Amino acid sequence: GGLGKVMEVVSKFHPGELIMVTPMMGGVSYPVMREAEPVYCEVEGKVEEVQIFHFRWPGEDQKVESILCKHDGLFGKRTDKDKELYPDDSEDLDYFLRFFTLWNQT
């Protein structure tokens, strides 16, 4: 996607390693990834478990690692890969606030 292309270009000029953290989205085929320990976040007084996956971009010259976060609150409503990943506060303010509360803690 767009951000992936940007990261690819940036990695060619950046002197060190890059890490990109994104929520996982329904309707997308992801490569085989290494699962890490989950992260626990509190949202509206309830502890939520977020699954964490790591993916190292292929190629010897690639210096980008993706950390993908999986939770229904992060991508449950975003199942169409052609739509914006991040929610619009004008559509559903409660979902918007839950999404970013969880995302910021993850």
Side-chain angles (χ1 to χ4, degrees), residues 17-28:
E17 301 284 315
L18 296 169
I19 297 174
M20 182 170 71
V21 181
T22 59
M24 291 180 75
M25 187 172 173
V28 175

Side-chain angles (χ1 to χ4, degrees), residues 6-99:
V6 170
M7 291 297 286
E8 188 176 338
V9 171
V10 169
S11 72
K12 291 179 182 176
F13 299 98
H14 192 276
E17 301 284 315
L18 296 169
I19 297 174
M20 182 170 71
V21 181
T22 59
M24 291 180 75
M25 187 172 173
V28 175
S29 294
Y30 289 97
V32 175
M33 298 179 283
R34 178 176 56 85
E35 188 168 3
E37 292 292 319
V39 171
Y40 296 92
C41 307
E42 186 174 332
V43 179
E44 297 179 329
K46 181 181 174 191
V47 175
E48 303 281 351
E49 179 180 296
V50 179
Q51 293 175 284
I52 305 295
F53 298 90
H54 291 263
F55 173 72
R56 185 80 170 165
W57 292 27
E60 288 183 26
D61 60 338
Q62 285 295 340
K63 304 179 293 183
V64 180
E65 179 173 2
S66 290
I67 299 175
L68 293 101
C69 306
K70 183 177 180 181
H71 182 279
D72 285 341
L74 288 175
F75 78 102
K77 287 193 172 187
R78 300 291 186 231
T79 58
D80 184 347
K81 64 182 179 182
D82 294 328
K83 291 187 177 180
E84 290 294 320
L85 176 60
Y86 301 102
D88 180 350
D89 64 339
S90 67
E91 292 176 8
D92 183 344
L93 185 57
D94 288 339
Y95 176 67
F96 176 84
L97 293 172
R98 283 191 308 276
F99 179 96

